[in-house]
Amino acid sequence: MLIAATPDNEAARLAALYDLLILDTPAEERYDRIVAFAASEFDVPIVTITLIDTDRQWFKARTGTELCETGRDISLCSHAILEQDILVINDTLLDPRFADNPLVTGPPHIRFYAGAPLTLPSSLSLGTLCLIDRMPRTLDAMELGILRTLRDLVMLELRNMGEVADA
């Protein structure tokens, strides 16, 4: 298993995340609706809005899993925040970075992953909107576009939250 590198802008990235005052907050309908829609639209069992903290990934919204967080060291989303665009892993068992990851070899048995980075205009990626399936699959160009649009909707909500936190 390959642990994701720490972003070069990690201190600024974490400061921006903490400025939102969102970590460990209760579930919110606006985010829950997005993950429920994504699960239905993409026919996947698990969707999360994941925020990457210092040592963990925390789920602001989730469907299909009871987990609220996992360690950052085993997080596929930690790899996705390093990307400019969506990280798609069609079959985790065929990718040496993830084939022996405990989230792949054990529950929730991730075989497909698509993580759209939640990136601020300042290029700081706070987390991901991610799709997870227990079987390999692919996304076509239209599906990637829909995932980008849903990611943008999450970012609008997060920026709105940031404006409230700044008030």
Side-chain angles (χ1 to χ4, degrees), residues 18-92:
Y18 299 154
D19 284 348
L20 289 176
L21 304 174
I22 193 172
L23 290 173
D24 301 310
T25 58
E28 295 179 60
E29 185 177 355
R30 59 185 166 171
Y31 298 111
D32 292 343
R33 284 184 177 185
I34 295 169
V35 296
F37 176 82
S40 176
E41 178 69 19
F42 293 98
D43 192 27
V44 293
I46 302 170
V47 178
T48 66
I49 294 173
T50 303
L51 300 170
I52 305 296
D53 198 357
T54 306
D55 296 317
R56 65 181 175 148
Q57 64 174 356
W58 177 76
F59 307 134
K60 174 57 183 168
R62 66 191 187 280
T63 188
T65 181
E66 294 301 315
L67 294 174
C68 298
E69 64 183 58
T70 68
R72 182 174 176 174
D73 59 333
I74 61 172
S75 164
L76 282 69
C77 296
S78 290
H79 292 267
I81 66 168
L82 300 172
E83 302 293 325
Q84 296 297 316
D85 198 15
I86 299 169
L87 173 63
V88 177
I89 305 159
N90 296 322
D91 188 340
T92 56

Side-chain angles (χ1 to χ4, degrees), residues 66-146:
E66 294 301 315
L67 294 174
C68 298
E69 64 183 58
T70 68
R72 182 174 176 174
D73 59 333
I74 61 172
S75 164
L76 282 69
C77 296
S78 290
H79 292 267
I81 66 168
L82 300 172
E83 302 293 325
Q84 296 297 316
D85 198 15
I86 299 169
L87 173 63
V88 177
I89 305 159
N90 296 322
D91 188 340
T92 56
L93 292 179
L94 300 179
D95 190 317
R97 296 173 295 177
F98 308 109
D100 62 347
N101 184 300
L103 299 174
V104 172
T105 60
H109 300 284
I110 299 171
R111 286 292 297 278
F112 166 83
Y113 172 89
L118 303 174
T119 306
L120 296 170
S122 60
S123 299
L124 301 171
S125 291
L126 305 179
T128 65
L129 170 62
C130 69
L131 310 174
I132 296 170
D133 205 339
R134 293 182 182 98
M135 60 184 179
R137 61 185 300 162
T138 59
L139 295 178
D140 63 29
M142 182 179 292
E143 291 170 317
L144 289 168
I146 293 168

